[in-house]
């Protein structure tokens, strides 16, 4: 029976030594009753996005150089994975190289017959191969080292709608399919991030969606725990790259973790926590570099242990201000139409502030569609916007926390709600 979910991110399998360390984690923790969810290796997702971008531009312009363009974009991806295979398998690499070559041939096959100009559809069909490549290599390496395992194509089990790049799980069908896996006595090795729609086209669950995959499987398996293995000791109260003296949190409640995720904390994916909370499955965030450290446990109970302010920063946001052109009230029908446009262009709202005649929001332009939104709003409203702003959020803030923010930045918007302080700075 599968009782434990282990998720390994791209940093944990970025090179041959990382893959070897995955084996060490399994040897330390035990591989029995485990399902491993593995992300694409290193920065492969970024590289595959470049492949999609190059292909899309060539296809949209009816270029006759599509094949050479794709070959050029894929060359570093092939070389990167080939080097890892050589480092792991040495003279025994032929079989796994053949399996990886088949995956690259499948990519070319799709690009050869594809007639669609839907960028998100193309994105999902190509970028998802990053996870297929990594799990093919990891599964083969574990078997090579005597660890029996079963490679699972997760697209056969996680079914979604056709909202490419941010698909929604079809829970009833997914859980029914997962019953066939739950009784496995072998270590399972599968992909994060991926699913498939009713036509069996690949879908993705959004960037960093591998954490969510682990939660979906844990829910379907009625698992005892999920462990996310990272290169940090656990959940910290701040990003150490942006704030000095970050502190490890030993325990975080589901509710607090959902709040942190909503505001943009990057350690846990925003959608990961809901299925775990529904069944009371604890989530552990642990370091693959320090196996004796118990990391952070996300479960029911105290909001934070220890109780300290938590800092979150999201950069490259857009601050948008709208007002009616005749300076009449911003009424409900105005706001309704504006939010419909946010949904249409897939812009996430991270902060809202409104007055009688104006409305300001801080937007996460994650799909780079703000310019299309602005074009549609122009003429309907008096509009101002500022790109490249940063949104700072402090949960459980106090005066000392407020004073710890980076100096020299101009605060263009400030909002306090309960224990949460948000500042937009330019």
């Amino acid at each position: 029976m599968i009782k434990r979910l282990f998720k390994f991110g791209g940093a944990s399998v970025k090179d041959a030594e990382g893959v070897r360390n995955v084996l060490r984690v399994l040897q330390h923790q035990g591989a029995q009753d485990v399902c491993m969810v593995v992300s694409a290796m290193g920065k492969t997702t970024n590289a595959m996005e470049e492949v999609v971008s190059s292909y899309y531009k060539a296809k949209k312009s009816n270029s006759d150089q599509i094949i050479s363009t794709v070959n050029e974009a894929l060359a570093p991806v092939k070389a990167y994975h080939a080097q890892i295979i050589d480092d792991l398998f040495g003279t025994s690499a032929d079989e796994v190289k053949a399996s990886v070559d088949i995956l690259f041939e499948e990519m070319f096959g799709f690009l050869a017959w594809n007639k669609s100009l839907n960028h998100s559809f193309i994105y999902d069909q190509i970028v998802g191969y990053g996870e297929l490549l990594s799990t093919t290599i990891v599964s083969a390496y574990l078997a090579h080292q005597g660890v029996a395992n079963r490679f699972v194509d997760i697209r056969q089990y996680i079914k979604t709608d056709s909202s490419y790049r941010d698909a929604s799980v079809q829970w009833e069908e997914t859980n029914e399919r997962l019953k066939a896996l739950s009784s496995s006595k072998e270590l399972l090795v599968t992909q994060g991030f991926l699913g498939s729609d009713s036509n069996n086209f690949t879908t993705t669950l959004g960037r960093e969606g591998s954490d969510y995959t682990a939660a979906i499987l844990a829910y379907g398996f009625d698992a005892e725990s999920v462990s996310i293995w990272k290169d940090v000791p656990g959940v910290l109260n701040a990003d150490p790259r942006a704030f000095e003296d970050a502190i490890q949190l030993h325990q975080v409640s589901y509710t607090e973790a959902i709040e942190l995720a909503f505001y943009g904390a990057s350690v846990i994916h925003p959608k990961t926590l809901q299925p775990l909370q529904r069944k009371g499955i604890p989530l552990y965030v642990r370091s693959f570099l320090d196996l004796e450290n118990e990391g952070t446990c996300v479960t029911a109970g105290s909001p934070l242990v220890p109780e300290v302010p938590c800092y979150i920063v999201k950069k490259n946001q857009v601050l948008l201000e709208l007002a009616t052109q005749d300076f009449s009230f911003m009424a409900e029908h105005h706001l309704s139409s504006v939010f419909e446009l946010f949904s249409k262009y897939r812009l996430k709202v991270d902060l809202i502030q409104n007055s009688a005649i104006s409305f300001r929001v801080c937007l996460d332009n994650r799909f780079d569609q703000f310019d299309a939104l602005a074009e549609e709003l122009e003429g309907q409203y008096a509009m101002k916007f500022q790109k490249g702003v940063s949104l700072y959020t402090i949960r459980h803030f106090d005066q000392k926390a407020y004073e710890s923010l980076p100096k020299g930045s101009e605060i263009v918007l400030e909002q306090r709600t309960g224990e949460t302080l948000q500042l937009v700075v330019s």
Side-chain angles (χ1 to χ4, degrees), residues 225-353:
S225 66
V226 174
S227 295
I228 298 175
W229 296 92
K230 302 180 75 69
D231 56 357
V232 294
V235 178
L236 306 179
N237 75 322
D239 184 341
R241 295 169 297 184
F243 296 91
E244 296 180 357
D245 303 321
I247 298 170
Q248 180 183 336
L249 304 172
H250 300 294
Q251 180 177 312
V252 183
S253 71
Y254 292 121
T255 301
E256 184 65 29
I258 289 170
E259 290 280 2
L260 293 172
F262 172 79
Y263 287 116
S266 60
V267 175
I268 304 171
H269 190 275
K271 293 184 289 192
T272 298
L273 297 159
Q274 284 91 345
L276 300 180
Q277 184 181 30
R278 286 200 294 269
K279 289 196 174 181
I281 301 169
L283 169 70
Y284 297 92
V285 180
R286 300 187 59 185
S287 171
F288 58 74
L289 302 173
D290 182 5
L291 300 181
E292 301 305 322
N293 187 336
E294 295 183 358
T296 301
C297 178
V298 181
T299 187
S302 300
L304 291 172
V305 178
E307 294 184 5
V308 293
C310 294
Y311 305 83
I312 302 157
V313 59
K314 297 184 73 174
K315 298 185 177 181
N316 298 316
Q317 306 289 289
V318 181
L319 181 62
L320 171 67
E321 181 175 354
L322 299 175
T324 56
Q325 292 184 330
D326 60 0
F327 294 101
S328 61
F329 291 150
M330 283 288 288
E332 287 78 4
H333 69 279
H334 294 119
L335 299 180
S336 175
S337 65
V338 169
F339 273 89
E340 284 182 6
L341 291 175
F342 291 159
S343 176
K344 175 181 176 180
Y345 291 107
R346 305 172 80 177
L347 289 152
K348 182 178 180 295
V349 177
D350 288 327
L351 181 150
I352 303 171
Q353 190 176 85

Side-chain angles (χ1 to χ4, degrees), residues 182-233:
S182 62
S183 59
S184 175
K185 297 180 180 180
E186 292 179 285
L187 168 69
L188 302 182
V189 179
T190 194
Q191 308 78 36
F193 188 49
L194 306 182
S196 67
D197 64 12
S198 59
N199 293 313
N200 292 322
F201 287 119
T202 302
T203 56
T204 62
L205 305 175
R207 287 298 299 267
E208 311 302 329
S210 294
D211 291 0
Y212 187 36
T213 301
I216 294 166
L217 297 180
Y219 184 93
F221 293 152
D222 287 319
E224 294 175 354
S225 66
V226 174
S227 295
I228 298 175
W229 296 92
K230 302 180 75 69
D231 56 357
V232 294

Side-chain angles (χ1 to χ4, degrees), residues 68-181:
S68 61
T69 298
V70 171
N71 269 320
E72 183 177 351
L74 272 177
V77 180
K78 287 184 173 181
Y80 171 66
H81 289 86
Q83 183 63 59
I84 293 175
I85 292 170
D86 286 339
D87 290 347
L88 289 173
F89 295 90
T91 57
S92 305
D94 288 350
E95 186 173 346
V96 67
K97 280 186 175 179
S99 297
V100 165
D101 286 343
I102 290 172
L103 295 174
F104 281 108
E105 289 170 7
E106 288 178 5
M107 275 188 263
F108 275 108
F110 166 77
L111 296 174
W113 65 255
N114 173 56
K115 304 298 182 185
S116 175
L117 282 176
N118 182 332
H119 185 274
S120 294
F121 170 73
I122 297 168
Y123 179 101
D124 279 8
Q125 308 320 302
I126 297 301
V127 171
Y129 275 97
E131 276 69 19
L132 294 167
L133 289 166
S134 67
T135 47
T136 296
I137 294 169
V138 169
S139 176
Y141 176 72
L142 294 176
H144 183 64
Q145 295 297 316
V147 179
N149 68 89
R150 176 181 169 188
F151 175 92
V152 174
D153 185 340
I154 201 62
R155 297 174 297 178
Q156 298 177 17
Y157 298 92
I158 294 182
K159 301 301 291 185
T160 73
D161 64 10
S162 297
S163 299
Y164 300 109
R165 295 189 70 179
D166 197 15
S168 295
V169 175
Q170 307 290 347
W171 284 97
E172 185 174 348
E173 183 177 1
T174 295
N175 289 331
E176 187 64 31
R177 287 174 177 248
L178 288 175
K179 290 178 182 178
L181 287 179

